[in-house]
Amino acid sequence: MPLTLHAHPFSAYCQKALVALYENATPFAFRHVDFGKEADAAALAALWPFRKFPVLEDGATVVPEATIIIEHLDRHHPGPVRFLPDDADAALEARLIDRVVDNYLMTPMQKVVLDAIRPPEARDAFGVDQARAVIGTAYAWLDTRLAGREWAAGDAFSLADCGAAPGLLYADWAHPIPLRLATLRAYRTRLLARPSYARALDEARPYRHLFPLGDPGRD
């Protein structure tokens, strides 16, 4: 039975799962979720009551959350690219960077972006400033951590890179990476050129009008 990914092309977390699928040319069906359609929202809620995508169906098994989807693929549908190293310490490093990207880039980036669609009287300037500060801290930490590495956790593309590709794309749109962080900027460039992410990025282009801060006209 084929895999089915319930997702939207413009979502950073959905792109994270798509990168893993594209890396190994894993066959799957894409189920486009449009929250503006009641039937789509209801179908997703039936799979995952939190109504968050991506969600992967693997036969009778429902796998939510992008990180868990990638680990599921690595275990049950392995390919040439392994997303978690066999070495336990190297696997911890990949998971650490994955958590930093999700918690300290993706989450505050969403705070900045979603605040822009609030009514002016409901906006949270203080919260947005705090979110930007967290992003800045994450940028500096990653710039130091990535020194001497081609990919996030070392020489091999991993789970950490699957999330860092969309994470750094959208974070840089919302809060530009400072020019002084040359290591991080070069890493972001490598991610954008990776064929798996280049494909996901191209598929997202028709939805760029959805970005509340405006299409930056690059990447």
Side-chain angles (χ1 to χ4, degrees):
M1 184 176 295
L3 300 171
T4 299
L5 186 72
H6 299 256
H8 190 286
F10 199 62
S11 159
Y13 285 109
C14 294
Q15 290 177 17
K16 176 177 175 176
L18 285 167
V19 168
L21 289 161
Y22 292 157
E23 277 291 321
N24 285 323
T26 305
F28 73 101
F30 187 87
R31 174 71 168 81
H32 186 116
V33 178
D34 181 349
F35 280 116
K37 297 179 180 178
E38 185 176 339
D40 282 14
L44 186 65
L47 293 172
W48 184 232
F50 298 100
R51 299 203 325 167
K52 299 287 187 180
F53 45 39
V55 173
L56 182 74
E57 284 189 278
D58 184 358
T61 302
V62 175
V63 187
E65 299 294 318
T67 294
I68 306 305
I69 288 171
I70 293 169
E71 293 210 31
H72 176 88
L73 293 171
D74 206 43
R75 175 173 295 188
H76 297 285
H77 302 274
V81 177
R82 300 308 304 269
F83 300 112
L84 284 172
D86 292 330
D87 179 80
D89 288 338
L92 283 177
E93 180 69 8
R95 288 190 173 104
L96 171 62
I97 295 177
D98 176 73
R99 294 296 80 224
V100 168
V101 168
D102 276 8
N103 293 324
Y104 305 120
L105 275 187
M106 294 255 211
T107 296
M109 176 273 294
Q110 289 177 330
K111 169 66 178 178
V112 174
V113 171
L114 293 176
D115 194 76
I117 65 176
R118 286 181 167 187
E121 66 276 8
R123 288 181 183 161
D124 178 15
F126 179 74
V128 167
D129 286 346
Q130 286 184 311
R132 291 186 181 278
V134 172
I135 294 171
T137 299
Y139 284 163
W141 185 89
L142 286 166
D143 188 74
T144 299
R145 196 78 171 192
L146 292 168
R149 299 178 182 177
E150 181 177 8
W151 301 111
D155 294 333
F157 194 89
S158 72
L159 162 69
D161 302 292
C162 294
L168 285 170
L169 176 86
Y170 288 122
D172 184 61
W173 284 8
H175 187 77
I177 300 170
L179 292 176
R180 69 179 183 278
L181 301 182
T183 296
L184 184 60
R185 292 173 64 86
Y187 170 61
R188 181 180 183 273
T189 298
R190 289 195 297 278
L191 288 171
L192 295 182
R194 184 84 176 185
S196 59
Y197 190 58
R199 177 177 174 183
L201 191 56
D202 282 342
E203 291 169 348
R205 290 185 191 280
Y207 304 97
R208 287 193 169 199
H209 64 280
L210 298 175
F211 193 68
L213 300 178
D215 182 346
R218 54 186 170 82
D219 300 318

